[in-house]
Amino acid sequence: MGEFELIQRFFQDRSRPPADEVPVGIGDDCAVIKPTPGAQWLVSSDMLVEGRHFLSTVAPERLGHKALAVNLSDLAACGATPRAFTLALALPRADAAWLEGFAHGLFALADAHGIALVGGDTTAGPLNICITVMGEAPAGQALLRSGARAGDDLYVSGSLGDARLALEVFRGTVALERGADFQQARRAMECPTPRVALGQALRGVASSAIDVSDGLLGDLGHVLERSGGLGATLLVDALPRSELLASLPLPLQRLCTLTGGDDYELVFTAPPEARDAVRAAAAASATPVTLIGRMEALPGRRLLDAQGRLLEWHEASFDHFKS
Ligand code: ADP
Ligand code: MG
């Protein structure tokens, strides 16, 4: 199978963007996309490298899903409506069974979000997947990391920590006795749900937002820094976690929820007057949301346990160049 046959069979033939929105998709030198009047474009890329962002044991369907999901999560964090994406793919060989699975996972998620594949690049090389997503938001309404204010409430969507739990099982530092428990954690790691509907529902409600890709503490740090050197108090034992994680030793729960990484939940802030609006956004998007702390003028992150005691915490968030 040659390069052009591969592109046509696994990508071009499966991408059917609406002609009025995407007059030219895959097949020309550029895609041509019609902007919605009054909207701004939001663009983001995320690359997945074998051995660094995923293990060679992952099923190709899940890899196709995850490659797009992590990108959609960035659009969600900005409150954008997904429009289109491109796919740059380096493959060691043209393996039809692998490509079939990968395309299946990729397009299942793309179709669920009404987002069209409009182009890309394909080359031979070590397995590497780079997706660029494009979305839209009404002018001036994108959610940014920089909008948090002292006194704002701090929230997180969904639950944290299961993906890190799976990683620790793969690393051999944690053993889960029941196979179903391992499958649950592994699913969280390999099949994250991007919080696209919640992100859009939070436009005009949240003051700032970020998605948790590198761990709650580290990603919260980006919001504090970008919002002018704010601080925050975090209620560590209020962090939402699965029943599975809650059944494990407390230090492991804290490690996984605070510094997990690969959660793809939204962390966002909103003024206390917006509590009803936050609840309405959570309900409208059918996404659980938990109040986990407060933004403060005093710089730094303070972690309180269930008894209101200050916790010492040193481990930095996951950093690709440190671990
Ligand atoms: P060019 O050489 O002009 O950059 P290519 O020969 O690389 O074009 O690609 C041909 C067409 O196929 C282009 O429209 C490109 O966007 C698209 N394409 C290539 N690889 C992919 C891919 N993995 N997924 C989607 N579209 C792709
Ligand atoms: Mg060209």
Side-chain angles (χ1 to χ4, degrees):
M1 178 171 35
E3 178 188 332
F4 295 104
E5 188 195 339
L6 185 162
I7 294 168
Q8 174 139 22
R9 183 168 155 200
F10 294 102
F11 301 115
Q12 189 165 8
D13 286 354
R14 294 166 197 235
S15 179
R16 285 177 221 87
D20 50 336
E21 292 177 21
V22 182
V24 181
I26 295 172
D28 213 307
D29 292 306
C30 289
V32 180
I33 305 173
K34 205 169 142 190
T36 301
Q40 288 175 326
W41 281 82
L42 290 93
V43 179
S44 177
S45 294
D46 249 320
M47 182 156 66
L48 296 190
V49 176
E50 182 168 5
R52 172 53 71 177
H53 302 95
F54 61 91
L55 306 169
S56 58
T57 49
V58 65
E61 289 86 346
R62 288 193 169 183
L63 194 56
H65 171 100
K66 185 167 178 176
L68 182 58
V70 304
N71 277 280
L72 286 174
S73 181
D74 285 317
L75 288 183
C78 290
T81 304
R83 286 289 312 272
F85 70 107
T86 61
L87 168 68
L89 197 57
L91 292 170
R93 63 200 151 273
D95 176 340
W98 190 94
L99 279 156
E100 188 59 50
F102 179 82
H104 190 266
L106 181 81
F107 283 107
L109 187 63
D111 292 347
H113 288 278
I115 183 173
L117 177 63
V118 297
D121 199 18
T122 306
T123 176
L127 185 55
N128 190 323
I129 304 154
C130 183
I131 286 181
T132 297
V133 280
M134 289 151 267
E136 289 182 324
Q141 287 190 33
L143 302 177
L144 303 176
R145 298 176 178 187
S146 53
R149 298 287 170 266
D152 281 356
D153 291 324
L154 178 64
Y155 298 89
V156 70
S157 66
S159 68
L160 296 168
D162 276 2
R164 175 61 178 266
L165 178 61
L167 183 63
E168 293 302 326
V169 174
F170 276 112
R171 283 173 171 171
T173 65
V174 174
L176 294 175
E177 273 157 35
R178 290 176 358 115
D181 290 345
F182 174 58
Q183 291 311 326
Q184 177 190 324
R186 182 175 188 177
R187 192 178 163 76
M189 180 173 86
E190 295 179 345
C191 246
T193 302
R195 301 299 191 180
V196 175
L198 176 64
Q200 290 174 70
L202 288 172
R203 290 201 301 241
V205 175
S207 52
S208 73
I210 189 169
D211 67 317
V212 184
S213 50
D214 296 334
L216 174 64
L217 276 187
D219 288 322
L220 173 62
H222 296 311
V223 172
L224 299 180
E225 190 184 323
R226 295 294 301 245
S227 295
L230 288 183
T233 289
L234 199 60
L235 306 171
V236 173
D237 294 324
L239 295 176
R241 70 206 76 175
S242 66
E243 275 180 37
L244 167 60
L245 185 56
S247 72
L248 299 171
L250 195 58
L252 180 63
Q253 293 183 37
R254 288 181 175 157
L255 174 85
C256 291
T257 52
L258 286 170
T259 64
D262 259 3
D263 292 304
Y264 302 104
E265 295 295 352
L266 297 188
V267 168
F268 61 95
T269 58
E273 311 84 79
R275 280 191 188 174
D276 286 344
V278 169
R279 259 193 289 275
S285 59
T287 310
V289 158
T290 308
L291 183 66
I292 59 166
R294 203 141 95 103
M295 310 303 277
E296 290 155 351
L298 180 68
R301 287 162 296 190
R302 289 161 289 283
L303 310 182
L304 297 185
D305 70 8
Q307 284 72 44
R309 287 179 305 221
L310 207 53
L311 287 178
E312 289 279 317
W313 189 269
H314 297 294
E315 194 186 328
S317 74
F318 189 83
D319 180 322
H320 291 293
F321 293 99
K322 283 188 196 153
S323 44

